[in-house]
Amino acid sequence: MSMKGERHSRASRWRPALRGAARGVMDGSRLALAARTAIAAAAAWYLAPYVPFAETEYSFYAPLGVLVSMYPTIAGTARSGAQTLIGLALGIALGVGGIGIVWAGAPGIVAVALVVAVGVAFGGADVLGDGKEWVAMAGIIVLLVGGPTPADFSVSYLVTMAFGVVVGLIVNVVIFPPLYLRHADERLSALRDSTAQHLHDMAEAVADDHLAPEQLELAVGDLSATVEQVSAAVRDADESSAANPRARRRAAERERNRRRLRALERTVFSTRDLADVLAQGPEQTRGNTSPAAPILLSEAIHRVAELVGQPLDAREPHIRLDAAVTALERYTAAMDDETTSAPSRIAEDLTAAVCLRRIIAASRPFI
């Protein structure tokens, strides 16, 4: 490969990552968070000299308190702020203890080592949340910067940081508090459409007898990753609703998102099972059936896909439900007519039908 071709290949690998980074930087919610954080940091720095029990020379800790606690949601900011302050308090106590060791005659290097060791050990306490990273840092700052009056510095440090946390929380509440219910709804709809499209692709593969296990595995893997992302979006939406005045009249929307997520999780799970059955080959899905069975199975998957992809506000939604049920009954009837074993509905040949029946059941509450 020439140098020019190699540079082109390297650039083509970097472009998707750069585009993704640019989308993340320019995302509306990220820019809104940046604006709120900037306003809160500026306000905290300006007002910090007026905070009681804090020395003016330590005012710069106030915007730091904003930075370490500011989250996209009100509940996240409150939780992170509280955890950070607890971690700071533990670190300050640890640093004061280190100063006590020095005053008792121990070498400073011993105090530094002990403070860092204990602080890092506390960093393993998951119960501290975001605060666990601040135990060692606060301890070493108090030990090295506290000087002859560690108590005054420690109080100023903790109070000023706490003031920054409070300012950040107030700004998050007052200045257009973020609410991600619509974003979660859009992600749920995207997952619904993606699942429906994968089902349509499976149906076409069954009809054409072109079932590629690798492609099926790739499709369901993509769906699984999407489910995790959408689940996180719904959790973020729930968290953004907590203590949010904009969410007071939107409890029904919140509950609908949860119900849709549960239904889509079941749908994706059954879609994965269906893909696994189809990937095993025709001998597993058409062992004792008529030649028409693949066409009937393809038709049933298509009709179920249309049911899954149906918008919430669709007119006469029962039409697609009836079509899916009817198509599935035709498929199972064909298998009943051809199979040699009586309990046909629990046989391996009907595993695909069971998956489709479960998908229909998950969709019924929204009809």
Side-chain angles (χ1 to χ4, degrees):
M1 180 184 293
S2 65
M3 289 287 287
K4 184 177 181 180
E6 185 177 351
R7 286 197 299 270
H8 177 74
S9 176
R10 191 181 302 117
S12 64
R13 290 196 299 268
W14 276 100
R15 284 195 193 102
L18 292 174
R19 284 196 294 267
R23 283 195 299 269
V25 171
M26 301 306 296
D27 179 71
S29 60
R30 173 57 57 176
L31 293 177
L33 174 62
R36 288 195 302 272
T37 305
I39 293 171
W45 179 80
Y46 180 78
L47 296 174
Y50 304 101
V51 175
F53 310 111
E55 299 292 336
T56 304
E57 60 185 304
Y58 302 122
S59 297
F60 61 88
Y61 284 119
L64 180 60
V66 172
L67 286 174
V68 301
S69 63
M70 201 70 164
Y71 264 60
T73 64
I74 297 172
T77 299
R79 181 183 61 250
S80 175
Q83 293 171 344
T84 298
L85 292 178
I86 292 172
L88 285 173
L90 290 173
I92 289 172
L94 184 60
V96 172
I99 292 175
I101 293 174
V102 173
W103 285 355
I109 191 173
V110 174
V112 169
L114 285 175
V115 167
V116 170
V118 175
V120 172
F122 267 102
D126 291 335
V127 69
L128 294 176
D130 292 338
K132 65 184 182 181
E133 305 297 336
W134 282 90
V135 178
M137 188 176 297
I140 201 68
I141 288 175
V142 170
L143 177 62
L144 299 180
V145 183
T149 57
D152 293 342
F153 171 77
S154 299
V155 171
S156 296
Y157 183 26
L158 184 61
V159 170
T160 310
M161 288 283 285
F163 177 71
V165 170
V166 172
V167 170
L169 183 59
I170 293 173
V171 169
N172 242 354
V173 172
V174 173
I175 301 181
F176 200 71
L179 187 62
Y180 301 123
L181 292 176
R182 179 176 297 179
H183 176 69
D185 180 72
E186 292 172 351
R187 294 302 303 272
L188 286 164
S189 296
L191 174 60
R192 175 200 66 200
D193 296 342
S194 178
T195 305
Q197 185 57 54
H198 282 307
L199 286 168
H200 280 304
D201 293 342
M202 290 182 196
E204 293 175 2
V206 170
D208 298 337
D209 198 17
H210 289 154
L211 292 167
E214 298 81 6
Q215 294 182 359
L216 291 171
E217 184 178 352
L218 182 63
V220 297
D222 178 59
L223 277 180
S224 299
T226 304
V227 167
E228 293 178 3
Q229 295 169 2
V230 173
S231 178
V234 173
R235 287 196 302 271
D236 289 343
D238 282 345
E239 184 177 272
S240 72
S241 301
N244 192 329
R246 295 175 57 206
R248 290 173 184 170
R249 298 182 180 180
R250 302 180 69 173
E253 187 176 350
R254 210 160 53 239
E255 180 57 28
R256 186 184 67 183
N257 282 347
R258 296 193 194 109
R259 289 173 52 234
R260 291 184 69 193
L261 176 62
R262 290 194 293 268
L264 284 170
E265 285 176 337
R266 292 196 294 270
T267 298
V268 170
F269 182 83
S270 296
T271 300
R272 292 180 59 185
D273 282 350
L274 176 62
D276 288 341
V277 172
L278 297 178
Q280 293 174 11
E283 66 276 4
Q284 292 296 328
T285 56
R286 305 176 212 166
N288 299 309
T289 60
S290 68
I295 301 301
L296 294 174
L297 175 58
S298 174
E299 179 69 14
I301 298 174
H302 271 306
R303 300 292 79 78
V304 170
E306 291 175 354
L307 175 64
V308 171
Q310 181 169 248
L312 291 175
D313 57 354
R315 293 184 178 181
E316 299 182 341
H318 62 278
I319 294 178
R320 292 189 181 185
L321 173 62
D322 294 342
V325 172
T326 300
L328 181 58
E329 287 176 349
R330 287 174 182 165
Y331 172 62
T332 55
M335 300 192 79
D336 287 342
D337 291 341
E338 295 295 330
T339 189
T340 58
S341 57
S344 59
R345 292 188 180 276
I346 60 173
E348 281 189 353
D349 293 334
L350 281 173
T351 302
V354 172
C355 294
L356 294 176
R357 187 174 291 115
R358 289 173 178 170
I359 295 174
I360 292 173
S363 301
R364 280 184 185 275
F366 301 95
I367 303 303

